[in-house]
Amino acid sequence: MSRNKGALEKHIYPVFGKRLFASIRPIEWMEHLKGIQQQQYRMRSMCRDIITPLEGLYKSYIK
């Protein structure tokens, strides 16, 4: 539950927190969520770029 709350506090409340729910148009939600999704893909890609070489080093060290 706290993970979800943290995600809302970080990504949703700063943008939409002071507005009435009914005043937020669906296109605004979609544009905002699309931006978060693109950020997620970039972060995943950066982590993969870091972890993949380390996995190779680890496997060669184990042998």
Side-chain angles (χ1 to χ4, degrees):
M1 182 77 148
S2 65
R3 182 177 182 196
N4 292 337
K5 183 180 177 189
L8 289 171
E9 289 174 346
K10 182 176 181 181
H11 298 291
I12 303 300
Y13 295 161
V15 178
F16 299 115
K18 294 186 178 188
R19 293 177 59 187
L20 294 174
F21 180 78
S23 74
I24 304 170
R25 296 179 301 148
I27 191 72
E28 292 178 272
W29 282 111
M30 295 305 295
E31 288 173 354
H32 182 68
L33 294 174
K34 182 179 178 184
I36 292 172
Q37 184 179 22
Q38 289 173 347
Q39 181 182 17
Q40 177 187 1
Y41 290 138
R42 285 193 306 269
M43 293 301 296
R44 187 179 298 151
S45 176
M46 283 192 312
C47 290
R48 188 174 25 247
D49 290 346
I50 293 167
I51 291 171
T52 301
L54 294 176
E55 287 177 335
L57 288 173
Y58 177 75
K59 287 177 183 176
S60 67
Y61 179 77
I62 295 293
K63 291 181 181 180

